[in-house]
Amino acid sequence: MQNPLLTTKQAAQILGVSIAFLERDRWAGARVPFVKIGSRAVRYRHSDLLAYIESCLCQSTSQY
């Protein structure tokens, strides 16, 4: 069975952002949802990444 939880590196590749972007996002309030496992491990659900991408859709530059 494939692991449904993704590492920060894998999540960054899917989103097309840097690992540092996701690390800063977690520190600043997490627009991209993540799962905290134990005291250090951070993982992302693929479904949360897709939902985040959908939430960023814009139709015009005046929307942001």
Side-chain angles (χ1 to χ4, degrees):
M1 180 179 165
Q2 184 180 0
N3 186 351
L5 297 177
L6 305 169
T7 64
T8 301
K9 181 178 179 179
Q10 292 168 321
Q13 289 173 338
I14 289 170
L15 295 174
V17 299
S18 68
I19 292 170
F21 171 86
L22 290 175
E23 291 170 344
R24 281 191 307 271
D25 182 67
R26 290 194 308 263
W27 179 82
R31 292 175 294 171
V32 182
F34 64 95
V35 178
K36 182 83 167 161
I37 301 172
S39 62
R40 296 184 57 137
V42 173
R43 297 292 183 265
Y44 293 85
R45 295 186 302 191
H46 193 263
S47 60
D48 288 337
L49 298 178
L50 296 178
Y52 173 73
I53 291 168
E54 289 295 318
S55 75
C56 293
L57 289 176
C58 298
Q59 298 296 319
S60 168
T61 57
S62 65
Q63 288 181 282
Y64 57 87

